[in-house]
Amino acid sequence: MNIEHLKGRTIALEGIDASGKNSVSKYLYDFLGHQGLNVKVFEYINDVPLAKPIRDLMFKSGIQISEKNREFLYSVIASQTIDLANQYRFDHPDSFIIFDRSVVSMMAFQALSNDNVKALETISLLYSVLCDYSIDQDSESIGTSIDDIFYLKITAETSLSRCPKGCDYEPGIAKLNKVIKAYEDIFNYNQVLSKCSGSLYQLLDHAWLWEINGELPVEDVARDILKHLDRSI
């Protein structure tokens, strides 16, 4: 496989709990790594120092935290993930970066406490970081600009069957369906706007948005992603 066109690119895997993001990330890491590509996976919930204390606060402290405040806390984790990814891109410019969840998840999660996903405003911090990031060493914008965003689409029933005890983010079929609707609203958004000129949703306009059948086996999902990456060069 020719991996040259993957060097320096960044993708994000999106979807509800148990849609296969982690499994597909690991598959791509192993497969492309064996092809000689430097692959780095960033998980929004595991790969940053702030993740564990914030998650412990939300799920183990016994403190009642509203959905709205959880969104802000997840945004803090996401922002630190982006900072780490920017530094990794600076140190390894030819690497292939995979985000396990990204800014789209921050939007979709807000559907748990907002009826209109297109009115969401609480990810402005992520927006500013992604749109205009620079490092002092060279005054050069390196950014973790995402080239391709893949939505691994599954049903709420599939999520619950894969994760029968429930997961952290979207417990229960009603919440799962609400987040699925939010993802679909985001991926159906097709208004042509210039990148980073005012709207949070303009973040997505410079990236290719792909919907992938997450009900398929991991190997088939990964193959579909690689096919789409060839098309989006």
Side-chain angles (χ1 to χ4, degrees):
M1 177 182 178
N2 183 5
I3 62 172
E4 289 301 312
H5 69 289
L6 298 180
K7 291 181 177 179
R9 295 179 71 178
T10 301
I11 70 169
L13 304 183
E14 297 285 1
I16 62 173
D17 286 337
S19 59
K21 300 178 295 298
N22 185 262
S23 298
V24 173
S25 295
K26 290 179 178 177
Y27 184 94
L28 291 172
Y29 178 88
D30 291 336
F31 178 78
L32 295 174
H34 286 143
Q35 304 292 320
L37 189 63
N38 177 3
V39 182
K40 178 65 174 177
V41 179
F42 285 95
E43 293 185 55
Y44 263 44
I45 61 171
N46 293 323
D47 287 342
V48 296
L50 285 174
K52 187 178 186 305
I54 288 178
R55 284 168 59 79
D56 286 348
L57 173 67
M58 288 192 289
F59 301 113
K60 296 181 180 180
S61 67
I63 299 173
Q64 295 295 317
I65 300 175
S66 70
E67 295 285 1
K68 194 72 175 177
N69 286 331
R70 288 191 184 202
E71 292 160 15
F72 282 110
L73 291 171
Y74 277 125
S75 294
V76 171
I77 297 174
S79 180
Q80 191 176 47
T81 306
I82 291 168
D83 283 343
L84 292 175
N86 273 300
Q87 186 61 55
Y88 192 86
R89 171 66 75 217
F90 181 84
D91 295 335
H92 307 278
D94 288 336
S95 61
F96 180 71
I97 292 177
I98 302 172
F99 280 119
D100 180 341
R101 297 192 186 269
S102 73
V103 65
V104 175
S105 287
M106 297 301 104
M107 296 178 183
F109 290 158
Q110 292 183 65
L112 294 177
S113 56
N114 293 273
D115 291 329
N116 181 3
V117 71
K118 292 188 177 180
L120 307 177
E121 296 295 338
T122 64
I123 59 166
S124 58
L125 175 61
L126 289 177
Y127 168 62
S128 62
V129 171
L130 277 175
C131 284
D132 187 19
Y133 185 91
S134 63
I135 285 186
D136 294 337
Q137 289 106 314
D138 295 319
S139 296
E140 179 184 0
S141 178
I142 60 169
T144 49
S145 179
I146 297 173
D147 301 296
D148 299 84
I149 300 173
F150 295 94
Y151 170 43
L152 310 187
K153 185 175 181 178
I154 63 172
T155 65
E157 290 75 15
T158 295
S159 175
L160 292 174
S161 68
R162 292 177 178 178
C163 191
K165 293 183 179 180
C167 302
D168 288 343
Y169 303 109
E170 307 111 11
I173 196 164
K175 288 188 175 181
L176 282 166
N177 280 323
K178 193 171 185 181
V179 176
I180 288 171
K181 177 62 166 59
Y183 274 118
E184 291 175 350
D185 283 348
I186 292 167
F187 274 76
N188 288 332
Y189 179 79
N190 58 10
Q191 184 177 357
V192 178
L193 298 168
S194 61
K195 177 186 174 185
C196 296
S197 62
S199 168
L200 294 176
Y201 278 81
Q202 292 171 32
L203 257 178
L204 307 181
D205 293 329
H206 72 295
W208 291 79
L209 305 181
W210 306 104
E211 185 176 293
I212 303 290
N213 183 359
E215 305 277 351
L216 298 173
V218 170
E219 295 83 356
D220 292 338
V221 174
R223 289 192 195 101
D224 282 349
I225 287 173
L226 292 173
K227 288 178 184 177
H228 286 302
L229 288 173
D230 281 337
R231 296 174 192 168
S232 64
I233 300 174

